């Protein structure tokens, strides 16, 4: 007997998508029915992946994603996907590239033109290390000249606190 994967219903708003990249930079993405959303969110948090509820504009995208495996362990719960499909997931969820979360944290709203203009919700570049380089981050708080920043594409990683002059600004036309 062959087991066929469940197909998404035409009602995309009854689904959540879990997506992100693993420690080896392999993209993962899958959809879960709304009935399994809480367990999918808990597992995604442990795996340091993103979760978002699907809206109407993502119906076609959900049909291309594999179903998630709530009873699988570890990364097997959210299968790997092709890079081009993963990029479509990110672009569909937010055309500005924000990986997003459902936690109520600020999302990328615009790009600051100066360090003095940086505020919560802005996208900045954060230097991780000489080997890892610069990565996009979302400012979650500003206290004077200190910023609290979360990694845009890796929301499960800890937030960092950096001086305002330690971040790089993106050119507004780059978005």
């Amino acid at each position: 007997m062959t087991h066929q994967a469940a197909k998404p219903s035409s009602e995309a708003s009854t689904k959540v998508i879990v997506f992100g990249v693993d420690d080896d930079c392999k993209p993962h993405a899958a959809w879960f029915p709304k009935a399994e959303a809480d367990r999918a969110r808990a597992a995604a948090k442990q795996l340091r992946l993103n979760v978002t509820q699907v809206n109407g504009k993502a119906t076609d995208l959900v049909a291309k994603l594999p179903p998630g495996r709530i009873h699988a362990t570890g990364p097997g719960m959210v299968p790997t996907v092709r890079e081009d499909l993963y990029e479509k997931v990110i672009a569909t969820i937010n055309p500005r590239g924000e990986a997003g979360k459902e936690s109520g944290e600020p999302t990328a709203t615009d790009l600051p033109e100066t360090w003095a203009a940086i505020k919560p919700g802005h996208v900045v570049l954060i230097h991780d290390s000489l080997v890892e380089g610069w990565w996009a981050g979302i400012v979650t708080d500003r206290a004077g000249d200190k910023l609290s920043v979360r990694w845009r594409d890796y929301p499960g990683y800890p937030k960092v606190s950096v001086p305002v002059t330690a971040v790089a600004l993106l050119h507004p036309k780059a978005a």
Side-chain angles (χ1 to χ4, degrees):
M1 181 165 87
T2 60
H3 180 284
Q4 291 188 349
K7 295 283 183 194
S9 73
S10 60
E11 183 57 45
S13 63
T14 63
K15 312 258 182 299
V16 294
I17 295 177
V18 176
F19 64 99
V21 293
D22 62 20
D23 292 337
D24 296 324
C25 295
K26 293 179 185 172
H28 293 258
W31 64 268
F32 291 86
K34 197 169 188 177
E36 295 178 347
D38 289 339
R39 291 193 292 174
R41 282 184 185 92
K45 184 175 181 180
Q46 185 178 18
L47 294 170
R48 295 181 172 176
L49 298 175
N50 303 287
V51 180
T52 190
Q53 186 159 341
V54 179
N55 60 29
K57 68 181 179 181
T59 303
D60 292 338
L61 179 65
V62 171
K64 295 176 184 175
L65 292 176
R69 298 177 220 137
I70 203 69
H71 297 292
T73 58
M77 184 189 101
V78 182
T80 57
V81 294
R82 296 180 328 270
E83 284 187 33
D84 64 316
L85 181 56
Y86 182 76
E87 289 174 6
K88 287 179 185 174
V89 169
I90 299 296
T92 300
I93 290 169
N94 185 330
R96 291 185 140 230
E98 165 63 22
K101 289 179 71 172
E102 293 182 320
S103 65
E105 286 185 7
T107 58
T109 53
D110 56 351
L111 301 172
E113 293 185 16
T114 66
W115 282 304
I118 296 174
K119 63 183 180 183
H122 280 151
V123 177
V124 295
L125 293 178
I126 312 166
H127 189 254
D128 186 29
S129 69
L130 287 175
V131 174
E132 295 295 327
W134 293 80
W135 295 88
I138 306 294
V139 177
T140 58
D141 189 38
R142 180 174 183 159
D145 286 339
K146 287 282 188 184
L147 301 175
S148 179
V149 183
R150 73 170 170 86
W151 302 101
R152 181 187 68 183
D153 300 320
Y154 301 92
Y157 282 66
K159 290 180 186 175
V160 294
S161 180
V162 295
V164 71
T165 55
V167 300
L169 305 177
L170 292 164
H171 192 281
K173 295 192 187 218

